Structures are given as structure tokens and as C-alpha cells.
Amino acid sequence: MTRMTPLLERNEQFASTYTPMALGLPTAQVLIVTCLDHRVDPAIVLGLRLGDAPVIRNAGGRVTQAVIDDIAYLAFLAEQLFGEQVAADRLFEVAVVHHTRCGTGFLADPSFRHRAAEATGLAEAALEASAVADPHTTVKADVERLLTSSLLSPKVSVSGHVYDIVTGRVTTTVDARYP
Ligand SMILES: [Zn+2]
């Protein structure tokens, strides 16, 4: 018995009507970067279906070096496998989605951050950098960070959005643009 037992039962339901799909371009031609918060599951919030969009999630949905590395690899892979299927100058759009009332917002408070650093061994500066206190501000900063990264393919565009936990609505803060 594990806490996974009921979820494995749901998987059994899923598998009973499942049809496998070949590796292809994501149907929505969008890659989502968002918070790992269980209240902001992009499959539900954005109505994603299987095969629609790759999703990268971390605390806050921040554009870290690891996220940039993953996007660089995915752009390379898409280009190698499906370069002939897409317009010569574009592969996919990266949509960075931050949200209101994010759990990382607590890290904007210096004493909370200090305690978090002591308890986890993580650097205080890194914790401060991951905080999403105002999602409109952080999403702009992260779109900029990605657009100015030398690792970002010129065929990848980037946009920024904010999900409001209270209304369930996603609004666009930064329109999609290429590096
Ligand atoms: Zn969050």
C-alpha cells in the first residue's frame, strides 16, 4: 500500500482507453514554464491535452539556468527531428506563467528567507532570486532573462503571463517576441 494506490487506480482507467502517440512536435507549438504548485496545473488551467505542450515546472516557475538548458536542448531536438515541418524561422513559443499568492512569495521576507536558508542549506541569495512576490514583475524579468540568454535559439519566441489564483484567469503580461 502506498499513497499512490488511488492514483494508480486512476491510471488503470486512463490506460484502458489509451492510444499511444509517436514523438512529434507539440500540437500547441508552445512550451510552458510554470510553478510546481498543485493549484496551477497547466493541463487543467489551460486545457492541455496529451501531446499539446511540454511543461517545465519548478518553485515559482522561474527561468533558472536549468530551465534555459532544457529549452536549449528541446529547441535542438525539435530542429533536428522536425525542422522541415515548421517554418524555417520558428520552432515554438515559450510561455512563462507565474501566479498570484505563490508559496515562494514568503521568501521575499528576510527573516523567513533566513530561516529557510538555515533549515535547507540553500543559499539565501538563491532563495531571494526564486521568490515570486509580484508575478507581473517576476514574469517580465524571466522573459527578459530567457530572451537575452545566448543559449536561446533565435527560432524560439517567449511570452509572459500571470495566473490569478482567485479568478482562475490567465492574462498576458508580455507579448510573444523573438530574441
Ligand atoms: Zn507558485
Side-chain angles (χ1 to χ4, degrees):
M1 190 71 178
T2 139
R3 294 254 162 91
M4 278 293 287
T5 302
L7 303 191
L8 293 173
E9 282 165 17
R10 291 185 206 175
N11 171 257
E12 204 46 59
Q13 289 283 319
F14 166 79
S16 67
T17 57
Y18 172 71
T19 314
M21 55 174 68
L23 179 61
L25 281 172
T27 318
Q29 295 191 352
V30 169
L31 182 158
I32 311 281
V33 177
T34 196
C35 186
L36 47 71
D37 193 315
H38 45 298
R39 299 169 299 171
V40 295
D41 188 336
I44 293 169
V45 171
L46 300 172
L48 297 179
R49 289 158 305 185
L50 215 52
D52 270 354
V55 176
I56 300 174
R57 301 181 73 173
N58 63 23
R62 302 310 307 263
V63 172
T64 60
Q65 187 58 50
V67 168
I68 293 172
D69 292 351
D70 280 347
I71 293 169
Y73 174 66
L74 285 172
F76 169 77
L77 188 66
E79 175 102 56
Q80 291 297 306
L81 299 181
F82 314 110
E84 286 165 10
Q85 294 173 34
V86 292
D89 57 341
R90 51 202 57 186
L91 289 171
F92 53 80
E93 174 178 332
V94 176
V96 183
V97 184
H98 288 179
H99 70 98
T100 60
R101 303 190 182 185
C102 185
T104 64
F106 294 113
L107 294 168
D109 170 39
S111 78
F112 185 90
R113 189 164 67 234
H114 184 67
R115 279 184 285 133
E118 289 207 320
T120 62
L122 295 165
E124 240 177 283
L127 291 170
E128 186 171 14
S130 74
V132 176
D134 173 11
H136 294 277
T137 303
T138 51
V139 89
K140 273 188 200 132
D142 280 9
V143 165
E144 211 48 46
R145 176 166 188 196
L146 196 46
L147 282 170
T148 55
S149 167
S150 60
L151 293 180
L152 186 71
S153 163
K155 300 177 182 182
V156 170
S157 61
V158 186
S159 60
H161 315 262
V162 172
Y163 174 61
D164 189 322
I165 284 281
V166 174
T167 64
R169 196 156 280 122
V170 175
T171 51
T172 298
T173 300
V174 188
D175 283 325
R177 68 173 200 271
Y178 287 88

